[in-house]
Amino acid sequence: MGGTNVWDAEWEVNEEQARTLIGRQFPQLSSKQVKRLGWGWDNTVFRIGDEYVFRFPRRTFAVGAIRMEGKLLPKLEAYLTIPYPKPLFYGEASDEYPAPFLGYAHVPGDFPIGLTEERRALSAETLATFLRRLHEFPVQAALECGVQQDHRNLTDIASRKVKLEGFLSKVVEHLSPEESGVIEAYISRLQKDRVEAVNALLHGDLHFKNMLVNENGIVSGIIDWGDLSVGHPACDLSVAYSFLPPYARGVFFETYGGADEETKLLARLIAVYIPMLILMQAVDDGNEAIAAEAKSNIMRALSD
């Protein structure tokens, strides 16, 4: 299916290339082991020794995000209450590789895949405090670092609804009749076309593949900040629906400082929308564990 999906790469970087590129610009790291950890839509990720992680853009679209992260992430330190990768090594584009790349301090933890509802609930206050502080960061300071403002038109529910119908038709054979029925019923109930715009600094892509948990299942790291943007806080608050069980949402929103019904409506929609995208990619990759987790996120988001 090369070249037909939004997540297809323009440049692939393997371990050997990563070792060469890092060693040339940062000779102090040249003796360390290089291991590919995985890739997302925008970047290929490598672990360098035990201490560092490097991200290499896979497509032109991601280059601006890497530059912006390098500027803005260090400024967030006074605000963020959960560990995140701080940029330490700023790699430059070269003849061998056409994009800048970034090296960060490694944040330990595991992806929250297959956690019990009880374990998930333990992170309600942790996540809410983290998002309250992130959303307090001055919007103007973020824009001066090159952050984009609502480039994904988050408040447009009508167009997202149409896209969701398209996604469902692509993955329906990978869902049970009950799952597809619940999703169809939810989509048909979405009557509002748009919500009022609100501006806050967003992580922008807060889901289980960008979160880490400790041995107790409590969120201990937030990674992949390439979608940092200014827009509606519901984008990040979606984690209350996709990650937390229904009974933990009250304490989440209370700790966050409240949210109106429009915000909650949009947060729930995004909590279905993002895992649907992850499910489509997981099906394409044949990754059953990620597909199963994405499905459970969707069904949790649609539970009250």
Side-chain angles (χ1 to χ4, degrees):
M1 293 177 78
T4 58
N5 297 310
V6 282
W7 51 80
D8 289 329
E10 289 171 44
W11 321 296
E12 291 287 9
V13 180
N14 61 31
E15 287 179 359
E16 196 50 51
Q17 288 168 306
R19 183 179 290 108
T20 304
L21 291 165
I22 293 166
R24 284 223 174 109
Q25 296 195 37
F26 310 106
Q28 68 272 37
L29 304 180
S30 57
S31 63
K32 294 190 180 292
Q33 188 182 9
V34 175
K35 181 173 183 268
R36 192 177 93 142
L37 288 181
W39 53 269
W41 289 20
D42 296 335
N43 301 282
T44 307
V45 185
F46 297 89
R47 179 87 173 266
I48 314 302
D50 293 326
E51 311 99 312
Y52 309 114
V53 169
F54 272 73
R55 288 166 75 221
F56 290 83
R58 303 174 75 236
R59 50 198 192 125
T60 308
F61 179 78
V63 170
I66 280 277
R67 289 207 174 100
M68 175 272 297
E69 273 189 64
K71 281 190 204 160
L72 183 54
L73 282 177
K75 296 179 192 288
L76 296 182
E77 189 155 14
Y79 286 79
L80 296 189
T81 55
I82 295 177
Y84 71 101
K86 298 177 183 66
L88 301 171
F89 302 98
Y90 292 73
E92 298 293 334
S94 63
D95 292 343
E96 284 119 334
Y97 178 72
F101 54 95
L102 267 185
Y104 312 76
H106 169 65
V107 178
D110 298 304
F111 292 117
I113 292 176
L115 288 183
T116 64
E117 300 300 279
E118 291 73 23
R119 291 236 160 164
R120 291 168 181 279
L122 297 174
S123 292
E125 289 178 58
T126 304
L127 281 168
T129 303
F130 164 77
L131 288 176
R132 189 183 75 230
R133 293 290 291 133
L134 172 63
H135 295 169
E136 284 169 357
F137 187 85
V139 164
Q140 193 53 42
L143 294 172
E144 284 163 11
C145 287
V147 168
Q148 289 187 286
Q149 185 154 5
D150 199 27
H151 60 298
R152 287 169 296 173
N153 208 1
L154 290 170
T155 55
D156 183 354
I157 291 177
S159 70
R160 210 164 278 265
K161 178 179 174 177
V162 172
K163 286 181 185 167
L164 207 46
E165 287 167 339
F167 298 165
L168 182 57
S169 68
K170 286 183 180 163
V171 296
V172 70
E173 67 202 64
H174 300 276
L175 298 165
S176 70
E178 185 197 356
E179 287 167 339
S180 57
V182 167
I183 298 166
E184 267 175 47
Y186 167 70
I187 294 171
S188 68
R189 286 197 309 272
L190 277 172
Q191 297 306 320
K192 205 173 188 69
D193 285 345
R194 181 174 278 282
V195 299
E196 203 67 39
V198 183
N199 282 326
L201 178 63
L202 309 175
H203 175 279
D205 198 22
L206 201 53
H207 54 73
F208 68 91
K209 289 177 76 178
N210 290 336
M211 298 162 71
L212 299 171
V213 293
N214 63 20
E215 63 279 3
N216 299 316
I218 296 171
V219 175
S220 59
I222 303 291
I223 61 172
D224 194 348
W225 290 75
D227 280 299
L228 268 167
S229 52
V230 166
H232 201 296
C235 180
D236 288 348
L237 296 174
S238 63
V239 77
Y241 295 92
S242 59
F243 184 81
L244 295 176
Y247 66 84
R249 290 171 193 156
V251 73
F252 173 91
F253 283 113
E254 196 178 311
T255 306
Y256 177 76
D260 60 26
E261 288 312 306
E262 276 200 349
T263 297
K264 290 180 177 178
L265 174 85
L266 182 56
R268 194 191 294 265
L269 172 58
I270 293 169
V272 175
Y273 189 91
I274 293 177
M276 282 288 271
L277 280 170
I278 294 170
L279 176 58
M280 283 163 58
Q281 186 179 359
V283 165
D284 191 53
D285 292 343
N287 190 325
E288 289 176 20
I290 296 290
E293 183 64 28
K295 280 193 266 190
S296 81
N297 274 239
I298 294 165
M299 301 317 288
R300 186 178 299 106
L302 295 178
S303 302
D304 282 315

